[in-house]
Amino acid sequence: MEPTLEVEDREGGVRVLTVSNPSRRNALNDALLARLDAALEPAGHVRALLVRGQGGHFCAGYDLTHLGPPGADGRLPDDPLVACLLKLERHPAPSVALVQGGAVGAGFDLAASCDFRVGAADAFFLMPPARLGIVYSPEGLARAVRLVGLSRAKQLFLTARRLPAAEALAWGLLDECPEDAEGRALALCATLAAGAPRAVSGMKEAFGLLSRSGVSPEDVAHLRQVRGEAFGSEDAKEGRAAFLEKRAPRFTGR
């Protein structure tokens, strides 16, 4: 089955976005991100978003077969992901992630980009960039810090620790972990969609502005250079190969 994004507009203004890539546990690629980006275009009838994965898996991250060194034009492999998740984060309609199974790498960030996260008992979060030899985007790092704090975000990103649902709830990564996660996520979307659209979108924008700290253009350029060097490194190549071959990576620092 070809990877796709299922878009369903339900009564009351709830748009359900289902990532479907079953052979790779709903891993994202550029084609899926393009569909998600299109589905996130503001529409007056969309008042709340539900983001989920098909088949009991939320999202296994970014398909590593689509990652590689930076392009000759300086484009980083995850630029489409960064742009799409920023669009989700800043969407005028509030969003809810229904996390069933793993939210790994870009899947973690996809959930973190939503306004709320409702998890099933089998939900877990994992951030593996340290094992893949890459530097994760500052935007994704900032989302994790806002949700769990600096020290815990470091634990997640620097150790690739697997965080099960109970701990994710205690840390604030999950907002709720009810028995009927899907029913609760849909009910929350219905509640959000029932609010005055202009008031909801205005307050969401204000919350977003209040949560951002200033970063200079020089800082942005430097971090981009650091990330480009990491994506093009031998360690990144080895990290991807080890992951796909299901073995421990052998990093050299090159």
Side-chain angles (χ1 to χ4, degrees):
M1 183 182 295
E2 287 295 316
T4 189
L5 179 78
E6 299 173 6
V7 180
E8 179 187 1
D9 286 332
R10 298 194 177 185
E11 186 178 357
V14 176
R15 171 166 285 184
V16 179
L17 304 174
T18 305
V19 178
S20 178
N21 187 3
S23 66
R24 303 195 68 83
R25 297 194 175 188
N26 300 326
L28 298 171
N29 56 33
D30 285 355
L32 274 171
L33 287 171
R35 294 187 180 98
L36 178 57
D37 185 84
L40 292 175
E41 282 298 312
H45 67 281
V46 177
R47 297 188 177 186
L49 300 165
L50 177 68
V51 180
R52 66 183 183 184
Q54 188 183 65
H57 300 288
F58 184 68
C59 176
Y62 202 93
D63 191 333
L64 296 185
T65 62
H66 289 255
L67 290 181
D73 58 356
R75 177 184 180 275
L76 297 181
D78 63 347
D79 278 352
L81 173 69
V82 172
C84 187
L85 295 189
L86 189 61
K87 189 172 184 178
L88 171 59
E89 183 179 40
R90 297 182 179 178
H91 197 282
S95 53
V96 178
L98 170 59
V99 184
Q100 297 168 306
V104 179
F108 181 123
D109 205 6
L110 176 62
S113 299
C114 294
D115 295 293
F116 302 96
R117 284 150 297 282
V118 177
D122 66 347
F124 69 90
F125 294 81
L126 190 150
M127 257 296 178
R131 293 184 181 175
L132 297 174
I134 65 175
V135 177
Y136 205 79
S137 71
E139 294 86 351
L141 294 171
R143 290 186 192 104
V145 170
R146 289 196 294 267
L147 289 172
V148 303
L150 179 60
S151 180
R152 284 174 168 171
K154 286 181 179 179
Q155 286 188 52
L156 293 170
F157 281 82
L158 302 184
T159 70
R161 175 183 176 181
R162 176 179 169 135
L163 197 70
E167 283 188 273
L169 180 64
W171 282 24
L173 191 51
L174 284 176
D175 297 294
E176 302 181 50
C177 192
E179 184 173 340
D180 179 11
E182 182 175 1
R184 175 56 189 148
L186 286 168
L188 178 55
C189 282
T191 298
L192 294 167
R198 184 167 294 183
V200 171
S201 64
M203 287 187 287
K204 180 178 173 179
E205 183 178 7
F207 277 124
L209 291 172
L210 290 170
S211 68
R212 293 173 207 149
S213 57
V215 179
S216 71
E218 292 76 16
D219 291 334
V220 172
H222 173 69
L223 288 171
R224 188 170 180 83
Q225 179 182 349
V226 168
R227 297 183 64 233
E229 291 170 353
F231 271 116
S233 69
E234 289 298 316
D235 276 354
K237 185 177 179 181
E238 165 64 11
R240 291 192 298 274
F243 185 91
L244 294 170
E245 295 166 12
K246 302 185 186 305
R247 61 173 173 81
R250 297 180 290 272
F251 293 133
T252 63
R254 297 195 297 272

